[in-house]
Amino acid sequence: MVFPFGRSFDRLYFSGYSLPNMIHAKREHEASEQRMRGHTMTHEALQYDKTIELTGASLVMGLSGWMNGGEVSTGVVEYLFRALEAEPFARIVPDDFYLYSFPGTMEFAALFRPHCKIEDGLICEFDEPENRFWAAVKPGLILFSGKEPNLLWNRYAESLLEVGRRHGVRRIVFVGGVAGLIPHTREPRVLCSVSERRLRNELEPHGMQFSRYAGPASFVTYLTLQAQRAGVEMISLVAEIPAYVQGYNPRCVEAAVRHVGALLGLQLPLGDLRNMSEEFEKRLDVLIAEQPELLEKIKLLEADYDDQVFDNEMGDLKLWLQRQGIRVD
């Protein structure tokens, strides 16, 4: 049996039912149950492990998924909770927010399935999406690391904002990473978007570029709109990752951490992260020296970077990267 599907959910059909209709029916059923129970589902999605005494906090968040290039989004939050010795205190229960079963090829469907491990016939691991909050009380900071939701963005966003309301959060900072046409030999560029125009004045002295983008939206864009309506400031910082460098990128993580620290007035120990970045760059230089064609492309990127060219399409380079199996969006 063939399950035809297109690029977006509105063109995906399974057993005669469109996926949007299936999701709509699911939401209607949940809303009906909510009315019968007489309490909000948002509070059900939140699970507190302990009570913390923290008001007037800022919230720094990272998400795996759409904007986690170079593992910057999750990497920054992981660095912060270790450096600040933050303690976990709450989570968003993953039920209902994720697609586990998706029609299509096995390779495609596997992208949505939780990872498991079975040894000697016994299940020893079953990894559901983690959506955790940590508190660093002394600097007045809440950290959140999770997986971008597939479904019910409104409930997921409301869960985040509810934690913010309980602890007087005035500002949310999202940190992410996207692949771009930028050389690894230069300081990573950081693109930003904001919930309010007045925040631009605060960010301009930090040397960031304001985003210009049109295309499929991320959950972070949706959350920014919801934060604005709730009267909470939100700033999105997205580091550009060299498209030809795959995996964890400590240099871009370091750059993002420095920007977050400057915005929130945090004194952060960066020595270990700097050492990791330098070692990473040395290994990368050795590998690239063995690929003269790539080295020539990087020189073009360096010239554009030094001339402060930010919107060069560089179609030839994009095509070359695509032939290497690397996509630049």
Side-chain angles (χ1 to χ4, degrees):
M1 182 178 294
V2 177
F3 303 112
F5 59 94
R7 292 180 59 192
S8 60
F9 284 170
D10 62 349
R11 290 197 295 273
L12 192 151
Y13 295 87
F14 177 63
S15 300
Y17 296 94
S18 70
L19 185 57
N21 288 342
M22 294 165 66
I23 294 172
H24 178 72
K26 183 175 187 290
R27 288 176 175 171
E28 286 297 311
H29 175 69
E30 289 175 337
S32 175
E33 287 188 337
Q34 174 189 348
R35 289 190 293 270
M36 292 175 63
R37 288 193 302 264
H39 57 272
T40 67
M41 291 186 292
T42 295
H43 294 171
E44 290 180 0
L46 280 174
Q47 186 176 91
Y48 277 79
D49 303 319
K50 61 190 298 186
T51 301
I52 59 168
E53 298 296 329
L54 184 59
T55 58
S58 295
L59 190 157
V60 177
M61 61 176 290
L63 295 170
S64 62
W66 188 279
M67 289 198 292
N68 194 29
E71 298 179 30
V72 169
S73 196
T74 52
V76 167
V77 175
E78 181 178 353
Y79 166 80
L80 288 174
F81 84 69
R82 293 184 187 280
L84 300 174
E85 299 181 343
E87 297 184 4
F89 71 93
R91 70 187 187 106
I92 297 176
V93 180
D95 300 348
D96 301 330
F97 293 116
Y98 302 101
L99 289 170
Y100 289 161
S101 184
F102 203 90
T105 64
M106 182 178 292
E107 291 79 8
F108 187 71
L111 298 174
F112 296 86
R113 301 283 177 110
H115 180 267
C116 71
K117 186 176 181 181
I118 302 174
E119 291 184 352
D120 297 325
L122 296 175
I123 300 171
C124 51
E125 288 183 17
F126 187 87
D127 297 332
E128 289 186 299
E130 284 281 340
N131 300 285
R132 282 281 180 185
F133 293 92
W134 290 267
V137 176
K138 189 174 181 180
L141 197 64
I142 292 175
L143 305 172
F144 175 77
S145 181
K147 180 180 179 181
E148 185 181 47
N150 304 125
L151 303 170
L152 302 176
W153 283 12
N154 58 330
R155 280 184 57 199
Y156 196 93
E158 181 57 28
S159 296
L160 286 162
L161 294 172
E162 173 61 22
V163 170
R165 279 190 287 270
R166 292 190 186 191
H167 300 287
V169 168
R170 303 187 184 98
R171 171 173 291 184
I172 299 172
V173 179
F174 168 78
V175 189
V178 294
L181 297 175
I182 184 171
H184 73 283
T185 53
R186 300 293 188 269
E187 177 71 10
R189 282 196 291 253
V190 177
L191 310 174
C192 63
S193 58
V194 294
S195 60
E196 301 177 41
R197 183 173 294 275
R198 64 180 179 80
L199 293 173
R200 287 171 51 98
N201 296 331
E202 180 181 342
L203 295 175
E204 282 175 347
H206 294 279
M208 302 180 201
Q209 303 295 319
F210 293 103
S211 299
R212 292 191 301 171
Y213 170 78
S218 71
F219 169 76
V220 172
T221 302
Y222 176 83
L223 179 62
T224 302
L225 292 173
Q226 299 308 308
Q228 181 187 43
R229 292 164 184 162
V232 177
E233 298 176 353
M234 183 158 176
I235 299 171
S236 175
L237 306 179
V238 181
E240 275 195 295
I241 311 300
Y244 54 88
V245 180
Q246 305 295 298
Y248 180 75
N249 192 314
R251 184 173 190 186
C252 293
V253 171
E254 180 195 354
V257 166
R258 280 192 277 105
H259 280 294
V260 170
L263 274 179
L264 300 179
L266 301 174
Q267 298 296 320
L268 299 169
L270 295 173
D272 290 345
L273 199 51
R274 178 89 287 268
N275 293 337
M276 190 185 302
S277 297
E278 291 175 353
E279 183 61 30
F280 173 79
E281 291 167 30
K282 289 177 183 177
R283 294 199 309 270
L284 193 56
D285 286 339
V286 170
L287 291 172
I288 290 173
E290 299 171 354
Q291 303 182 57
E293 190 175 4
L294 176 57
L295 192 57
E296 287 301 314
K297 302 296 183 184
I298 292 172
K299 289 179 180 178
L300 295 176
L301 293 177
E302 290 173 337
D304 268 2
Y305 185 101
D306 295 341
D307 292 338
Q308 297 188 28
V309 177
F310 301 112
D311 56 358
N312 192 338
E313 290 292 331
M314 296 196 72
D316 290 343
L317 179 55
K318 280 188 176 181
L319 185 60
W320 184 86
L321 289 170
Q322 288 170 2
R323 286 200 296 265
Q324 315 309 310
I326 301 170
R327 180 177 175 179
V328 182
D329 293 320

